[in-house]
Amino acid sequence: QVQLVESGGGLVQPGGSLRLSCAASDSIFSIKAMGWFRQALGKERELVSVITSGGTTNYADSVKGRFTISRDNAKKMLYLQMNSLKPEDTAVYYCNSPRARINDYWGQGTQVTVSS
């Protein structure tokens, strides 16, 4: 079974930066689109960024210009560089296929808290 392990979250002040990492055990990671999701307390999980196998990226309007998604296929790693963080970015962040549904496998996620 594919395993996804997210890391890099933490407590940061507004305007700060964090870099999230996702380690995947998927043998076909390099040919799959991947995405970062987030779920704030009491809200539905939302897709915030996607990167295709070829490196094409897409972002939700709420994070465009502040977040950068990247990947290292050789290491089976996915990253999310988050700059100019806002309190509304506070959430648990997950990596997965952009097509993943709520009942599919998910990693444990990594908590990001933006607060002064």
Side-chain angles (χ1 to χ4, degrees):
Q1 181 179 340
V2 173
Q3 286 194 319
L4 300 166
V5 180
E6 301 91 347
S7 62
L11 173 63
V12 64
Q13 292 187 342
S17 297
L18 283 173
R19 188 192 192 210
L20 305 184
S21 298
C22 166
S25 65
D26 195 343
S27 61
I28 60 170
F29 174 85
S30 65
I31 64 171
K32 291 173 59 174
M34 290 293 294
W36 282 99
F37 297 76
R38 68 185 180 187
Q39 186 166 17
L41 196 62
K43 296 188 178 181
E44 292 188 354
R45 194 165 298 181
E46 62 171 340
L47 180 63
V48 298
S49 186
V50 175
I51 184 167
T52 67
S53 58
T56 301
T57 59
N58 208 343
Y59 301 92
D61 287 343
S62 58
V63 306
K64 199 171 294 183
R66 300 188 297 121
F67 290 11
T68 302
I69 190 172
S70 61
R71 66 191 297 163
D72 184 331
N73 288 335
K75 295 182 179 178
K76 298 181 185 176
M77 294 291 295
L78 183 72
Y79 305 101
L80 187 68
Q81 178 67 42
M82 306 187 296
N83 298 329
S84 302
L85 282 162
K86 305 175 181 180
E88 51 263 44
D89 295 319
T90 295
V92 180
Y93 284 72
Y94 303 87
C95 62
N96 212 328
S97 162
R99 298 180 179 181
R101 296 166 295 181
I102 197 64
N103 291 328
D104 289 333
Y105 166 81
W106 293 83
Q108 85 288 351
T110 186
Q111 175 71 49
V112 172
T113 303
V114 184
S115 175
S116 55

